[in-house]
Amino acid sequence: MREKPATVTGYEFDELRSLIESRSGILFDASRERFFSTRVREFVAERGLQGGTDLLRLVSSSNVEYSALLESLLTQETSFFRYPAVFDALAKKILPELQEKKFWDNPRTLRIWSAACSTGEEPYSIAIAVADALPFAEAWRIEILATDISRRALQHAERGVYTGRSLDNLTPQQIENYFTKTRHGYVVKPRIRRMVSFAPMNLTQAVYVGRMDCIFCMNVLMYFAEERRNSVIQRFSECLELGGYFLLGHAESLSSVPVRLEGLVLGDCRIYRKPAKESAVKQAVMAEGSL
Ligand SMILES: C[S@@+](CC[C@H](N)C(=O)[O-])C[C@H]1O[C@@H](n2cnc3c(N)ncnc32)[C@H](O)[C@@H]1O
């Protein structure tokens, strides 16, 4: 006789949705209903649970089980140089500007944050763009902080071994310069690997990361509810240096976010900058209608 599939009621799905939203910020709305319910049912079956009540009890009482459920629900699609226009803006506008601004600093540091870095392609792309754009990268202290809520994704990132389509946007020259081909795939070379530090971090929890020259936060805030998204962006804006840059994914924008960053259109992308003077930030905060 076939086993009856475990049942999760509408009420239990709602409870799970609100638990996940309150802990991770990720909102599973109607547009992702099918994905959510399928993954939850699979998790219930894998654990041999009776149904939604058992599942709620399990994930509310065990952080390990909660994290395992969350891992199964995360979308981790990414690739090297995912939006070429953004990396063009980094190479042609942001890095030259920072290079000029910091040229006489001692030490000459550059701090970039890849918030929600998934399996590492984004922070390594940033490191490659920096190595390509800065003529004497060794003369700089380059710190690329790469964080994500998913420990599984971070383990992949730390290994730095890549295969398949995620490499498609790299040029043959970049592959040759920055990767070693092995039988497991393309391995990021130490000079790129050294620039990046990986750490687990939940964006909904305020953690002090110091001042950043540039923050990439791509393709994650679109899964957050509006209020939560706004408060995370507010925190990003506070930790940016004056004149620092903020970069979102190409389908995302700050147009309805009450944070005062200047929007600049460069080629095919829109990037955001914190005004270079404190007084301009204050004025912008008072002005209506700015971004
Ligand atoms: C679609 S990937 C984006 C990866 C990369 N930024 C890009 O655009 O290619 C979204 C990432 O956000 C992470 N994520 C989701 N919620 C998060 C949270 N609350 N804190 C930190 N990372 C989170 C997921 O684990 C996933 O790796």
Side-chain angles (χ1 to χ4, degrees):
M1 208 175 70
R2 280 184 62 191
E3 254 183 59
K4 222 173 102 206
T7 48
V8 182
T9 64
Y11 171 78
E12 289 158 351
F13 275 125
D14 286 348
E15 288 287 295
L16 269 179
R17 257 191 287 273
S18 89
L19 178 78
I20 288 165
E21 201 281 323
S22 70
R23 292 204 196 168
S24 72
I26 305 168
L27 182 68
F28 286 95
D29 60 10
S31 68
R32 298 206 294 155
E33 176 54 36
R34 206 159 150 179
F35 168 83
F36 182 70
S37 56
T38 307
R39 292 286 168 95
V40 168
R41 286 200 183 94
E42 282 167 3
F43 189 85
V44 168
E46 276 162 26
R47 293 291 189 278
L49 302 172
Q50 295 288 322
T53 313
D54 281 3
L55 174 63
L56 277 167
R57 197 174 303 127
L58 182 71
V59 295
S60 309
S61 61
S62 159
N63 281 338
V64 173
E65 292 294 341
Y66 166 77
S67 300
L69 173 66
L70 183 67
E71 289 279 358
S72 76
L73 291 164
L74 294 171
T75 305
Q76 294 182 320
E77 186 190 336
T78 186
S79 56
F80 284 93
F81 293 89
R82 183 167 181 182
Y83 302 124
V86 171
F87 286 93
D88 234 39
L90 177 68
K92 297 194 180 135
K93 160 99 183 140
I94 301 175
L95 290 173
E97 203 176 292
L98 290 171
Q99 188 179 14
E100 202 182 306
K101 181 169 124 189
K102 299 196 163 205
F103 193 80
W104 299 107
D105 286 5
N106 187 11
R108 215 187 279 167
T109 52
L110 187 58
R111 301 197 73 230
I112 301 180
W113 183 8
S114 166
C117 65
S118 188
T119 41
E121 286 88 333
E122 182 178 285
Y124 288 134
S125 300
I126 298 169
I128 290 170
V130 169
D132 276 343
L134 290 188
F136 299 103
E138 333 47 76
W140 289 75
R141 186 188 291 169
I142 293 158
E143 298 171 6
I144 299 168
L145 172 66
T147 63
D148 201 281
I149 201 170
S150 164
R151 287 180 189 257
R152 196 165 58 194
L154 289 172
Q155 278 166 9
H156 183 151
E158 300 253 13
R159 279 197 300 277
V161 184
Y162 298 95
T163 54
R165 294 191 53 197
S166 87
L167 298 155
D168 281 359
N169 284 342
L170 288 160
T171 63
Q173 198 58 54
Q174 286 170 329
I175 299 247
E176 189 182 321
N177 291 348
Y178 304 122
F179 293 83
T180 308
K181 191 170 180 200
T182 70
R183 66 195 170 90
H184 302 294
Y186 289 87
V187 184
V188 177
K189 283 191 177 166
R191 76 180 264 226
I192 294 300
R193 179 68 191 78
R194 272 196 295 274
M195 292 188 211
V196 186
S197 311
F198 292 99
M201 192 188 294
N202 181 348
L203 289 176
T204 64
Q205 292 165 1
V207 177
Y208 182 72
V209 294
R211 290 275 171 183
M212 292 289 162
D213 296 301
C214 184
I215 300 174
F216 282 67
C217 184
M218 296 176 144
N219 304 304
V220 61
L221 293 177
M222 61 195 194
Y223 298 118
F224 286 20
E226 189 180 338
E227 205 177 310
R228 180 108 37 191
R229 182 167 58 225
N230 292 354
S231 76
V232 175
I233 291 174
Q234 183 58 44
R235 231 173 332 107
F236 283 143
S237 142
E238 281 157 19
C239 80
L240 271 180
E241 291 277 9
L242 291 174
Y245 283 90
F246 180 64
L247 305 170
L248 282 166
H250 83 149
E252 302 171 298
S253 113
L254 291 187
S255 57
S256 58
V257 181
V259 69
R260 311 301 168 173
L261 296 172
E262 305 162 343
L264 313 174
V265 176
L266 283 182
D268 281 346
C269 75
R270 178 179 279 270
I271 63 175
Y272 298 92
R273 180 171 58 190
K274 184 161 169 171
K277 292 200 181 91
E278 194 63 60
S279 56
V281 178
K282 286 193 184 126
Q283 264 171 24
V285 169
M286 282 168 358
E288 278 300 319
S290 47
L291 282 168

